[in-house]
Amino acid sequence: MTTTSAVAGLTPQLWDDKFFTNYVRANQFRQYMGTGENSIIQVKEDLTKKAGDSITYALVNDLTGAGVSGSTTLKGQEEALGSRSFKLTVALARHGVTIHGWDEQKSAIDLRNAARPQLKSWLLKKDRTDVLAALASINGVAYGSATEAQKDAWLDDNYDRILFGKLAGNTDSTGGTVAYDYSDSLATIDNTDDKLTKSVVSLARRMARKASPTIRPIEVDNSGEWYVMFVGSYPFRDLKADLASTFSSAEVRGKDNPLFRDGDLIWDGVIVREIPEIGVVSNGTINCGQAYLCGAQALAWGWASRPSTRTDEDDYGDQHGVAIRQIRGLGKMQFGKGSSDTADLVDHGVFTVWTAAVADA
């Protein structure tokens, strides 16, 4: 009997392909990722086929004109298409592990198998960290690094897609050249009236749909239009408590009732998902937490090179290492609503909600 052996040069490539598939399946945001414009996280791999360090996402605005009817001449009354673009820059990210104490030389594939759990765990944590950082970012600047002036300017351009507590009127107006004050708005939140409740979820949903330009919901398997809200543990706790009476009288009985199981909450066309890693920020009085109501094209995810592995050998062949590398970019999709692509940037698919996030007593 003749046995066909594996081609040594193809073995790492096949391993990397399998690793990539399993890694994507384990990503907690995978169900929101897709290549189409209906995805919360729109993925592009343009640079895997050509050189470059950035990927451009295009937006064509809806027509706003009334058009003509009957015998009215259309010539000269056409409407120009309003287009905008968002450029996502990609970067190289790498990490590696070293494996010691082997009694005999190991092959490259054994090295990869030995390091698989660590490499996969690192990539998944990096994805989660980068997604949350993008959602919280202020015009591309990390939230913790943004100045008060940058936050004020961001709020000024996104005032109709940011909610502080239970009232739209909590957004504080300065009356100056910058219309709104971010820190003063955050300071209006207290732990009595401004917890995350079903009414806050409903208000955020209405405001997202009425924002200009609107934040489009996504369509899920022909089951209607939905938003997805990512929230931290304390606001999620408050919402679950607020929904207790509703779920106790209007939901299914037994273990499938949301009160008795872990998992997402659903209210008024919004799927609310707990992300424990979303942190809190003090407003000077209490801790507050951000929640992100996301619609279509909230985030951009671009690959120039999918995750792949490299092996290395040192210390006279007694020290063996394997590294993972990828070239990827991830950012909150923004389009300018001013005179150019970068003027008056608006968060295209993210509505930000600030509520109380006080720790358990």
Side-chain angles (χ1 to χ4, degrees):
M1 182 175 66
T2 302
T3 303
T4 302
S5 301
V7 180
L10 292 179
T11 301
Q13 179 181 341
L14 295 172
W15 189 97
D16 286 346
D17 287 344
K18 183 177 180 181
F19 175 89
F20 178 77
T21 301
N22 292 334
Y23 145 71
V24 170
R25 286 175 180 169
N27 189 313
Q28 69 186 113
F29 296 102
R30 72 188 185 281
Q31 66 195 93
Y32 310 114
M33 299 168 62
T35 58
E37 295 180 356
N38 187 53
S39 302
I40 288 177
I41 304 175
Q42 187 177 6
V43 179
K44 284 195 173 187
E45 296 188 77
D46 296 14
L47 295 182
T48 60
K49 304 177 179 66
K50 59 184 178 182
D53 64 353
S54 63
I55 298 174
T56 299
Y57 292 74
L59 171 70
V60 179
N61 294 328
D62 293 335
L63 297 176
T64 59
V68 299
S69 60
S71 60
T72 303
T73 301
L74 178 59
K75 186 71 173 179
Q77 300 190 61
E78 303 91 344
E79 182 177 350
L81 285 175
S83 60
R84 289 288 187 266
S85 64
F86 171 73
K87 185 171 76 171
L88 178 70
T89 301
V90 300
L92 173 66
R94 300 184 298 165
H95 200 20
V97 298
T98 302
I99 303 172
H100 300 274
W102 287 351
D103 296 326
E104 59 183 3
Q105 178 67 37
K106 298 290 184 179
S107 70
I109 193 66
D110 288 333
L111 272 172
R112 290 175 171 85
N113 284 334
R116 184 201 302 264
Q118 292 86 354
L119 296 175
K120 181 178 175 182
S121 176
W122 178 78
L123 270 182
L124 291 174
K125 289 178 181 177
K126 178 172 177 56
D127 287 345
R128 181 185 64 212
T129 299
D130 290 351
V131 166
L132 297 183
L135 288 170
S137 63
I138 305 295
N139 288 343
V141 178
Y143 183 84
S145 301
T147 65
E148 287 302 310
Q150 288 173 323
K151 292 176 182 177
D152 289 347
W154 173 71
L155 177 57
D156 202 27
D157 292 328
N158 291 272
Y159 69 93
D160 59 350
R161 54 194 67 219
I162 302 173
L163 176 62
F164 296 92
K166 71 174 186 178
L167 298 174
N170 284 345
T171 304
D172 185 77
S173 177
T174 65
T177 55
V178 176
Y180 297 101
D181 188 288
Y182 186 86
S183 292
D184 286 352
S185 300
L186 191 62
T188 63
I189 298 175
D190 66 64
N191 197 36
T192 301
D193 293 328
D194 296 306
K195 297 177 180 179
L196 184 62
T197 62
K198 57 181 181 287
S199 62
V200 171
V201 173
S202 294
L203 175 58
R205 176 182 177 275
R206 288 195 302 275
M207 290 180 67
R209 302 206 71 151
K210 294 175 65 177
S212 179
T214 187
I215 296 178
R216 294 188 297 111
I218 60 172
E219 296 181 7
V220 182
D221 298 329
N222 297 319
S223 63
E225 296 181 332
W226 296 87
Y227 291 105
V228 177
M229 178 182 280
F230 302 108
V231 306
S233 294
Y234 297 132
F236 189 84
R237 168 205 63 193
D238 295 336
L239 177 60
K240 195 167 188 176
D242 186 60
L243 287 170
S245 60
T246 303
F247 287 164
S248 64
S249 58
E251 261 283 359
V252 297
R253 301 295 180 182
K255 61 182 178 63
D256 291 329
N257 189 295
L259 293 176
F260 306 112
R261 59 167 171 79
D262 193 16
D264 299 341
L265 300 173
I266 298 177
W267 177 258
D268 197 13
V270 179
I271 301 168
V272 183
R273 166 154 292 197
E274 179 185 10
I275 306 292
E277 291 76 16
I278 296 178
V280 298
V281 172
S282 175
N283 69 350
T285 304
I286 63 167
N287 283 337
C288 303
Q290 281 180 306
Y292 311 103
L293 182 95
C294 295
Q297 295 179 297
L299 297 180
W301 182 309
W303 260 306
S305 176
R306 289 181 172 188
S308 60
T309 52
R310 303 285 190 274
T311 57
D312 192 22
E313 185 177 296
D314 202 359
D315 193 20
Y316 301 95
D318 288 327
Q319 182 172 320
H320 308 269
V322 60
I324 194 82
R325 70 187 299 276
Q326 67 174 349
I327 303 177
R328 172 181 59 70
L330 202 161
K332 180 162 56 174
M333 207 175 294
Q334 293 183 300
F335 295 98
K337 65 178 180 180
S339 58
S340 69
D341 286 355
T342 57
D344 303 325
L345 290 174
V346 169
D347 295 348
H348 181 63
V350 180
F351 187 98
T352 303
V353 181
W354 278 102
T355 58
V358 176
D360 299 320

